[in-house]
Amino acid sequence: MTTKKKLIAGNWKMNGGIAANDALVRAVVAGLKDAACTVAVCVPAPYLAQVQMLRHGTPLELGAQDVSSHEQGAFTGEVSAAMLKDFGVRYAIVGHSERRRYHGETDQLVADKAKAALAHGITPIVCVGETLAEREAGHTEEVVKRQLAAVVHANGHCISEIVVAYEPVWAIGTGRTATPEQAQQVHAVLRAQLKAATEHAGRMPILYGGSMNAANAASLLAQPDIDGGLIGGASLKAADFLQIIAAAR
Ligand code: PGA
């Protein structure tokens, strides 16, 4: 389990611009030569074409930050999995806490989005995580299990093709990281839940996200059930992102 290739995915969120993306992607690609892990950047939809060109012929994988649960049609503002596929997208984040919180995304919608991505050969990075209030009330396990259960239920045997990201809401963008032990504890719970659903659970990546940075990446990634990271702020600086990538071996 510990020898499988790790996955480091950058989540740019609503950041970037033509010039900044160009500089960032070029610098990341230049530093990828001896990367022992898989590396992806999940970019805002308008920049998929730009980053697709920049990454062409390199090991950098392309990701989106969301995907519609619908196939096509009258859904103004939505982007379908087929459209993402047209731009060489390999991963799509679904159920990020910012979308659950600011866009009212439910467990069922997140499950449907994961299903839409899988139907087009895109790997959904399914985010789960508790708020501070939920943690303090002792509900962490119950919350993450409920969030993951919806995705497991909707996706049947395809569940082995997803990536899970544990992102405690209180750690996102706050500089307050979960300790390696806190993270590992939840990752083990998620692994057990996946094991009950598929014989392939051991090879499925479970990422940690939430203020992962160059200084704390190695200790988090050393945990037996932490198979990579979903990196927000630190993925916007090539040097920081590359240091996290270097720690993922
Ligand atoms: P952060 O964000 O690394 O800036 O905390 C992680 C995420 O939200 O995916």
Side-chain angles (χ1 to χ4, degrees):
M1 197 185 338
T2 46
T3 54
K4 72 189 173 218
K5 213 171 174 187
K6 291 192 163 53
L7 168 62
I8 300 294
N11 173 12
W12 289 3
K13 309 195 180 186
M14 200 169 73
N15 294 292
I18 296 277
N21 303 343
D22 188 88
L24 176 57
V25 174
R26 283 178 199 281
V28 168
V29 163
L32 277 189
K33 284 183 195 66
D34 336 292
C37 59
T38 303
V39 180
V41 284
C42 300
V43 311
Y47 298 128
L48 287 170
Q50 183 198 12
V51 178
Q52 184 193 28
M53 283 202 293
L54 286 167
R55 69 158 288 273
H56 186 76
T58 81
L60 182 66
E61 298 285 353
L62 184 57
Q65 296 174 12
D66 187 26
V67 61
S68 178
S69 61
H70 302 285
E71 268 300 302
Q72 61 165 34
F75 301 100
T76 303
E78 295 270 278
V79 177
S80 74
M83 293 170 187
L84 297 179
K85 198 70 189 168
D86 273 346
F87 288 90
V89 166
R90 175 160 172 203
Y91 298 99
I93 298 171
V94 298
H96 191 282
S97 61
E98 286 150 17
R99 295 211 59 88
R100 292 180 191 262
R101 183 164 164 204
Y102 305 134
H103 301 271
E105 293 199 3
T106 61
D107 294 341
Q108 186 57 50
L109 179 61
V110 173
D112 291 343
K113 288 183 169 194
K115 192 171 183 177
L118 287 167
H120 290 271
I122 292 171
T123 302
I125 300 177
V126 176
C127 299
V128 300
E130 81 288 2
T131 62
L132 186 58
E134 288 164 340
R135 172 163 282 265
E136 285 174 346
H139 295 152
T140 298
E141 281 193 22
E142 174 192 328
V143 169
V144 299
K145 281 163 101 172
R146 188 201 72 221
Q147 291 171 332
L148 183 57
V151 179
V152 169
H153 182 73
N155 287 283
H157 70 274
C158 294
I159 199 66
S160 60
E161 301 311 313
I162 74 165
V163 170
V164 176
Y166 170 54
E167 296 207 310
V169 177
W170 47 271
I172 295 177
T174 57
R176 187 177 162 191
T177 319
T179 65
E181 296 71 28
Q182 279 175 324
Q184 167 57 28
Q185 201 176 7
V186 178
H187 280 233
V189 166
L190 296 169
R191 181 86 63 199
Q193 191 176 0
L194 292 172
K195 274 196 178 136
T198 169
E199 63 190 282
H200 303 293
R203 67 156 175 77
M204 293 173 66
I206 306 179
L207 314 182
Y208 169 80
S211 299
M212 196 190 262
N213 58 38
N216 61 30
S219 58
L220 286 159
L221 293 168
Q223 298 300 311
D225 289 300
I226 302 187
D227 308 309
L230 183 55
I231 323 296
S235 73
L236 298 172
K237 294 188 196 118
D240 290 12
F241 194 45
L242 287 169
Q243 279 190 59
I244 297 171
I245 290 164
R249 22 193 82 246

